Amino acid sequence: MDRPRYAAYQAVAAVNRDDAYANLVLPSILREEGLFGRDAAFATELTYGTLRHLGTLDAILTSAAGRDVQRIDPPVRDALRIGAYQLLHTRVPPHAAVSSTVDLVRMVGQGATGFANAVLREVAACDLDAWVSRLAPPMETDPIGHLALAHSHPQWIVRAFSEALDGDLGETTRLLIEDNERPPVHLCARPGLADPVELADATGGAPGAFSPYAVYLGGGSPGDVAAVADGRAHVQDEGSQLVANALAVAPIDGPDGRWLDLCAGPGGKAGLLGALAAQRDARVTAVEVAEHRARLVEGATRGLPVTVLHTDGRLVGAEPKLPEGHFDRVLVDAPCTGLGSLRRRPESRWRRQPSDLPALTRLQRELLTAGLRAVRPGGVVAYVTCSPHTVETHVTVTEAARRSGASVDFVDARPLLPAGMPGLGDGPTVQLWPHRHGTDAMFLAVLRRG
């Protein structure tokens, strides 16, 4: 048994069979298989690479097999996906990719070894560019369809990205390419508790390009970093650090001691806000509706001036601990499609559907409206989503501001981000991008209550 390939198979199968998340199931599989170092890295590459390129791999396997990939027995199908990924995206010699996958199929799908061998040899007959040229619609007549197959994203997501980038297909292509790259691990050195330069030196990493608290981890597991283990740092994308810090530095008049994180789970932004609040004699109220996520927030903010409330953030005014007009700064990090973090959660691109949007955008509007009720006159609300979809960003913000009944002014968010940061657009809102900034595609709008 080839243990790295078998570990990758178990992870891919769990994602496709059980709707699991690779970042949650793979570490335990690696431990169970006793994989470390190079073997663990290879299993990780096979897992995430296969999941990122699933759409293109399935189109190629359908052609090579002469039948729809969905008609292939699921265990065999997942093994073939891993084999096709090796053939088309890695330096694994073709004979090794074919023979190891046939061995895997012998374990998980008895009687299908001949079929698997024939399909993989057909896949190996062309390189990736040749397959894309054969199967993708012409760029000239169907650019969205072409980009979707060439870069393994559902068409509706490619279209949403293109619209958010003002129809620039060249930039859309660069975004899709970046979405399929393995992202570095970002750490947040909590202000007052850890120095980012010292943390970078200790981990063999480098200070972040933009966030004053960011560190790019050089390698290894973040759980093995002493500063992470003892709560002086945490894992957090640099874009998430930037939007949380933007709320903390936005100018306000009057008192500045009561901060609110209205959708706090799992606790990364609450942890950063809590560390900043500790330096300014402020306190953070962190709200989370899901009990298990509220416990995560408690763990992430232990030792910081943060009070965790297990309740629904929409209950501002009805919940005694969430009075209206009470808070100086409010973060509404709303639940969203997560289209901005597809680098880190590649399986999400195949699970999300356009039909998810109506319920999500309604929830986003309700939470932002609650945030506008919670903030005092003169205070600020930061609305954040990890999605560039315009329905979740500009449409949600303008509709919530209109429906709130309050006097609301947009604050130009660009000066709240580091000076000289490129590609921030015309304001007043900001959209971050993986291909422009190396961050998740975080959206930020800052509103001041009149």
Side-chain angles (χ1 to χ4, degrees), residues 2 5 42 79 83 86 92-106 120:
D2 186 306
R5 288 180 172 90
F42 183 50
Q86 293 173 73
V92 174
H95 71 275
V98 172
S99 63
S100 63
T101 304
V102 170
D103 289 342
L104 183 58
V105 168
R106 185 174 290 112
L120 291 172

Side-chain angles (χ1 to χ4, degrees), residues 258-260 262 285 287 307 309 311-330 369-377 381 449:
R258 296 176 298 206
W259 301 2
L260 173 64
L262 204 60
T285 299
V287 177
T307 300
L309 293 183
T311 190
D312 191 326
R314 292 172 292 183
L315 296 178
V316 170
E319 161 63 54
K321 295 181 180 179
L322 292 177
E324 293 189 15
H326 178 75
F327 296 93
D328 307 306
R329 302 179 188 271
V330 177
T369 301
L372 292 171
R373 292 199 309 271
V375 73
R376 64 167 175 81
V381 176
R449 172 84 179 269

Side-chain angles (χ1 to χ4, degrees), residues 124-204:
C126 296
D127 64 13
L128 179 61
D129 289 341
W131 275 114
V132 170
S133 179
R134 179 192 300 185
L135 298 177
M139 186 71 175
E140 297 74 21
T141 58
D142 185 3
I144 298 299
H146 180 91
L147 292 174
L149 190 138
H151 301 289
S152 198
H153 283 67
Q155 288 196 29
W156 76 273
I157 293 180
V158 177
R159 188 172 294 108
F161 286 170
S162 176
E163 290 172 356
L165 289 164
D166 298 321
D168 187 326
L169 293 177
E171 195 169 9
T172 302
T173 302
R174 292 193 292 275
L175 169 60
L176 297 173
I177 291 171
E178 188 64 30
D179 245 3
N180 286 331
E181 295 295 321
R182 184 178 179 183
V185 175
H186 295 174
L187 301 179
C188 175
R190 293 184 169 181
L193 298 175
D195 179 87
V197 174
E198 294 176 0
L199 181 58
D201 289 342
T203 59

Side-chain angles (χ1 to χ4, degrees), residues 202-359:
T203 59
F210 303 114
S211 167
Y213 315 116
V215 173
Y216 304 156
L217 189 62
S221 170
D224 295 333
V225 176
V228 173
D230 63 23
R232 293 179 292 116
H234 61 269
V235 177
Q236 186 177 40
D237 180 79
E238 188 173 16
S240 292
Q241 299 175 38
L242 289 168
V243 296
N245 189 62
L247 172 67
V249 301
I252 64 173
D253 296 323
D256 191 17
R258 296 176 298 206
W259 301 2
L260 173 64
D261 184 350
L262 204 60
C263 317
K269 296 182 183 68
L272 175 52
L273 289 175
L276 290 167
Q279 296 183 312
R280 291 158 59 174
D281 198 25
R283 290 200 62 86
V284 179
T285 299
V287 177
E288 175 52 49
V289 67
E291 184 177 0
H292 71 284
R293 287 169 67 86
R295 288 196 296 269
L296 291 175
V297 179
E298 290 174 348
T301 59
R302 190 168 292 116
L304 298 172
V306 177
T307 300
V308 180
L309 293 183
H310 172 214
T311 190
D312 191 326
R314 292 172 292 183
L315 296 178
V316 170
E319 161 63 54
K321 295 181 180 179
L322 292 177
E324 293 189 15
H326 178 75
F327 296 93
D328 307 306
R329 302 179 188 271
V330 177
L331 175 66
V332 181
D333 181 18
C336 66
T337 55
L339 301 187
S341 58
L342 297 183
R343 301 181 305 161
R344 303 188 186 280
R345 292 188 173 180
E347 61 271 23
S348 294
R349 71 184 74 177
W350 312 116
R351 291 182 183 166
R352 283 299 188 188
Q353 301 294 331
S355 57
D356 297 334
L357 285 165

Side-chain angles (χ1 to χ4, degrees), residues 28-42:
S28 62
I29 292 172
L30 295 177
R31 286 194 299 271
E32 290 169 5
E33 295 295 330
L35 296 178
F36 305 95
R38 185 173 298 177
D39 285 344
F42 183 50

